[in-house]
């Protein structure tokens, strides 16, 4: 079963991401603040609706409600993308799978999806910023102009727009201050194509 309305999907997605990032459930007040809403009562109503759909369960303890994600809608585990330079950039929380609601993957095959922490703001104009989590479909080829995860010289991992120009590959950014990387095709390995974005709550 899927959440029925856009707002219900937003709340469900936010709860799943918050639990995955922080290790505990957000309060109604936190959910309302992160969604830019003023009414905790409105959030309580949405959570009640999600509970009636079997997507959440609420437990009362010490006078407070605790939210538990139910299997199915939030039960898809996505592994993190392994890259040669992980040692310098990997966080402790990346040792655990990322749990996502099913609707976030659309029609993509769960087994081919990986999570990738964005390392810079080079394609921020595409609304992909440093520390966002990009959803990557594993593929070793790309169409002209797609955003890809590429490995250069078996060492450096980048998220860039891909262009084939003769025997060379151009990896372009949306940042005018960052130069386009032009490199021989045999020195570039495409490991996946960008399919979606998660912006962790701050």
């Amino acid at each position: 079963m899927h959440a029925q309305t856009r707002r219900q999907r937003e709340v469900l997605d936010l709860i799943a991401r918050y639990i995955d990032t922080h290790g505990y459930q957000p309060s109604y007040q936190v959910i309302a603040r992160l969604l830019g809403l003023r009414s905790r009562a409105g959030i309580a109503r949405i959570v009640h609706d999600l509970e009636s759909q079997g997507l959440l369960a609420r437990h009362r303890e010490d006078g407070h409600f605790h939210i538990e994600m139910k299997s199915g809608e939030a039960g898809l585990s996505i592994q993190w993308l392994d890259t040669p330079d992980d040692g310098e950039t990997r966080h402790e929380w990346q040792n655990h799978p990322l749990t996502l609601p099913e609707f976030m993957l659309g029609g993509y095959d769960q087994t081919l999806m990986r999570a990738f922490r964005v390392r810079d703001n080079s394609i921020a104009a595409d609304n992909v910023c440093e520390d966002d989590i990009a959803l990557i479909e594993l593929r070793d080829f790309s169409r002209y102009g797609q955003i890809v995860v590429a490995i250069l010289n078996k060492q450096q991992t980048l998220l860039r727009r891909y262009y084939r120009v003769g025997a060379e590959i151009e990896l372009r950014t949306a940042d005018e201050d960052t130069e386009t990387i032009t490199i021989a095709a045999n020195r570039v390995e495409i490991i996946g194509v960008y399919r979606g974005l998660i912006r962790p709550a701050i």
Side-chain angles (χ1 to χ4, degrees):
M1 179 182 291
H2 299 271
Q4 300 299 309
T5 70
R6 179 181 63 83
R7 184 62 79 187
Q8 288 174 6
R9 289 193 296 271
E10 287 176 347
V11 170
L12 189 67
D13 176 35
L14 187 149
I15 293 171
R17 287 188 286 116
Y18 194 95
I19 291 173
D20 190 75
T21 302
H22 295 82
Y24 58 89
Q25 307 91 336
S27 66
Y28 291 168
Q29 182 175 0
V30 167
I31 296 170
R33 176 172 55 82
L34 293 176
L35 290 176
L37 304 174
R38 295 183 179 180
S39 172
R40 284 185 294 176
I43 296 299
R45 187 168 52 251
I46 292 171
V47 169
H48 178 270
D49 291 341
L50 291 169
E51 185 179 27
S52 69
Q53 297 174 41
L55 302 176
L56 295 177
R58 293 182 299 168
H59 304 285
R60 193 175 184 87
E61 182 179 329
D62 298 328
H64 300 282
F65 280 114
H66 297 274
I67 301 169
E68 176 188 347
M69 303 297 294
K70 302 296 284 186
S71 61
E73 185 71 15
L76 298 184
S77 293
I78 305 299
Q79 299 295 327
W80 292 90
L81 190 65
D82 289 325
T83 63
D85 44 2
D86 270 348
E88 301 175 6
T89 59
R90 196 173 185 88
H91 291 268
E92 175 61 30
W93 45 264
Q94 288 176 280
N95 293 326
H96 307 283
L98 183 69
T99 302
L100 296 176
E102 183 178 353
F103 70 83
M104 288 196 66
L105 296 187
Y108 295 114
D109 183 346
Q110 175 194 354
T111 63
L112 296 178
M113 299 303 291
R114 297 292 184 271
F116 176 76
R117 188 179 68 88
V118 180
R119 300 169 182 176
D120 57 39
N121 286 310
S122 61
I123 54 174
D126 292 302
N127 197 34
V128 181
C129 301
E130 184 176 1
D131 289 329
D132 284 348
I133 298 171
L135 297 179
I136 304 298
E137 181 187 16
L138 295 178
R139 275 180 30 187
D140 58 4
F141 63 94
S142 169
R143 288 198 293 270
Y144 192 83
Q146 283 186 312
I147 297 175
V148 303
V149 175
I151 298 177
L152 278 59
N153 299 315
K154 299 183 179 181
Q155 295 179 336
Q156 183 183 12
T157 307
L158 298 172
L159 186 70
R160 297 289 192 272
R161 284 200 175 275
Y162 170 93
Y163 298 89
R164 181 74 183 243
V165 182
E168 295 182 321
I169 302 297
E170 288 188 358
L171 297 171
R172 301 180 190 172
T173 74
D175 180 1
E176 294 181 356
D177 295 328
T178 304
E179 292 185 8
T180 294
I181 296 173
T182 302
I183 188 169
N186 62 3
R187 294 169 58 195
V188 179
E189 178 186 2
I190 304 300
I191 59 174
V193 176
Y194 170 81
R195 296 302 189 193
L197 181 71
I198 300 172
R199 181 152 293 155
I202 298 175

